[in-house]
Structure formats: structure tokens, C-alpha cells
Amino acid sequence: MNPERLNDWYTHESLDARDIFLVFMAVQLYNADYATPGNFSDDFRAYQQQNKASFGSFYADPSDKYCGFDPKEKISENTTVEEAADFIGENSRYYLLLFKRMRMTGKKITVNAMCILLPQVYFAYRKMWKEAAAVIVISAILSVPALLYTFAAMDMPIRFVSIDMLKTTWFELLLRLSNYASMAINIGACLLGNWMYYRHMNRKVDHIKTQFSGDNAAAAEKIKESGGGNIW
């Protein structure tokens, strides 16, 4: 790993969430391999100070929750890095890198592995209640043909629905379309889930700052309270 190449990789337009994660891990591996045991953050900080031309404005320090960015820097039109980190809570370093890329390139499509399986759980964990509710309702509706098909396969009587009706060609087509739609929702959430969270964060922070205009301390506390992960 050559740390002098990190800034070139970071500013490359083709980077996605996976690449940003790998760059961040590379920084940590570099720290572990080359820094003084127990003091790698200070050693890496000294290296970056000596090689500012290579790192540019990107300052990678795994112990820094702002991931090397200026806390007052704008990560969106109305949200600073500090506000974003406070709102995100856990995994702030990963999301700050990701959101920085979105602001720089305007790129919305990244990969959110959790959303490919259970997007409603991810949205609920990140307190995106409208998105979570929408996925739950739509998924429930789309699951009806599959449930009816299961009942038909088991020859179980269904009130208001004829078993013969569930064995027709049009119902099989409906079943396939509902399955494809469910897959499309999960894939769409996987590709746009991070951007949706970025948009959610910006809207919430902007609303809170407007609500607590003139009281920065109260606004900062409310931002921390409104964000983070939901613990049931």
C-alpha cells in the first residue's frame, strides 16, 4: 500500500462505496504496519503533514470521527461535516467519505448491502420511518400472490378466492410480476439507499437548524438525538 496514492484514488470519479471503504481500510492497514505501536495516529498525522501535496485536503486519521475533514466544511448545501458526524453516530467515518463523494460528483448510486436483503430494517434502524413504512406496506401487498399460491399448492381452502382461479395462467403471470417487483424494490434500495439516507440527513438537519435558529447548543443536541441508529 502506497499512502501517497490515497488522494488520487479518493478524487477519482469512478469510486463507489466499496472503493471508499477499501481506501479507508488501507489507511488503517498502513497505520498498523508502519506506525509506532500504540501511537499510530500521531505517526500517521506526522506523515500527512510532511506529505500534504499527496493527500491534498483529505486527512485520514482513523481516530478522528470527522475522517480528516474540516468540521465546519459543508458536506451538503446546509449541513457541515460536524453536524453530519453527530447525526450519523455510528459509522460516521464511512458515511462522511461516502457523502463527500456524493457532494463532489453528484453520484447517487452506491451499494448498500443491508438494503438488498432487508431495506425496511435498514431504514427503521436509521430512523427513516416513512421509507421503512413504505417498503413494509408495498412488500406486504406484493407478497399476497405468493401467499395465495402457497395455499393453492397445499389445497387449502381460501375464503372469497377459488383454488381453480389460482391455477390459471393470468395468476401465474401476476405471481411472477409481484416477485420481480419485490426484487426491483430491494435492488433499488440497495443502489439508492445511501443516497436516500444522505437526503434524509440533510432534510432533518436543515429542519432542526431552522427550528432552533439562534440556539446552536440546542440544535446540536437535537441533531444527535434525531440521528444515529435506532435501538429497539
Side-chain angles (χ1 to χ4, degrees):
M1 167 53 57
N2 182 0
E4 295 182 358
R5 298 296 297 169
L6 287 177
N7 191 60
D8 293 338
W9 292 343
Y10 178 71
T11 55
H12 196 279
E13 292 187 359
S14 64
L15 284 179
D16 59 13
R18 179 197 62 181
D19 299 318
I20 292 174
F21 173 76
L22 292 176
V23 169
F24 179 67
M25 291 302 298
V27 172
Q28 299 196 61
L29 290 174
Y30 167 78
N31 287 339
D33 290 341
Y34 294 97
T36 303
N39 199 34
F40 61 82
S41 293
D42 291 340
D43 285 359
F44 194 62
R45 183 181 299 109
Y47 178 87
Q48 287 182 302
Q49 290 296 329
Q50 296 172 6
N51 297 271
K52 290 182 178 179
S54 297
F55 285 90
S57 61
F58 177 64
Y59 180 83
D61 181 352
S63 66
D64 178 12
K65 74 173 185 177
Y66 304 126
C67 206
F69 298 122
D70 180 355
K72 302 304 180 183
E73 178 184 352
K74 294 287 188 180
I75 203 166
S76 69
E77 184 176 351
N78 298 313
T79 306
T80 65
V81 169
E82 181 178 14
E83 292 165 346
D86 288 341
F87 184 86
I88 294 167
E90 294 184 13
N91 298 327
S92 62
R93 299 177 186 89
Y94 170 78
Y95 281 106
L96 286 177
L97 287 168
L98 188 62
F99 293 166
K100 176 71 172 179
R101 289 293 307 158
M102 290 181 177
R103 177 170 172 78
M104 290 173 60
T105 66
K107 185 178 180 180
K108 298 179 180 179
I109 296 178
T110 57
V111 176
N112 187 314
M114 182 63 178
C115 284
I116 193 66
L117 300 174
L118 296 168
Q120 61 271 40
V121 174
Y122 173 80
F123 292 144
Y125 175 72
R126 284 298 175 181
K127 301 180 181 179
M128 303 167 65
W129 304 118
K130 292 181 180 179
E131 292 81 355
V135 172
I136 291 173
V137 171
I138 295 174
S139 296
I141 294 173
L142 292 176
S143 67
V144 171
L147 290 175
L148 293 177
Y149 183 82
T150 300
F151 292 151
M154 298 174 64
D155 290 327
M156 296 178 61
I158 307 172
R159 184 176 298 181
F160 306 123
V161 179
S162 168
I163 295 296
D164 294 334
M165 182 184 301
L166 301 181
K167 296 180 180 181
T168 60
T169 302
W170 71 265
F171 182 79
E172 291 183 1
L173 177 61
L174 178 62
L175 177 63
R176 290 185 181 183
L177 291 177
S178 64
N179 289 336
Y180 292 151
S182 296
M183 292 174 58
I185 290 174
N186 284 25
I187 293 173
C190 172
L191 298 178
L192 295 173
N194 290 323
W195 172 77
M196 294 171 69
Y197 182 46
Y198 178 55
R199 184 183 62 173
H200 168 75
M201 177 195 71
N202 293 331
R203 290 178 174 177
K204 290 292 291 185
V205 171
D206 187 46
H207 175 73
I208 291 171
K209 290 167 69 174
T210 300
Q211 182 181 6
F212 292 90
S213 179
D215 191 345
N216 294 335
E221 188 63 28
K222 186 64 175 179
I223 287 173
K224 292 180 182 179
E225 179 184 332
S226 299
N230 189 44
I231 300 177
W232 292 279

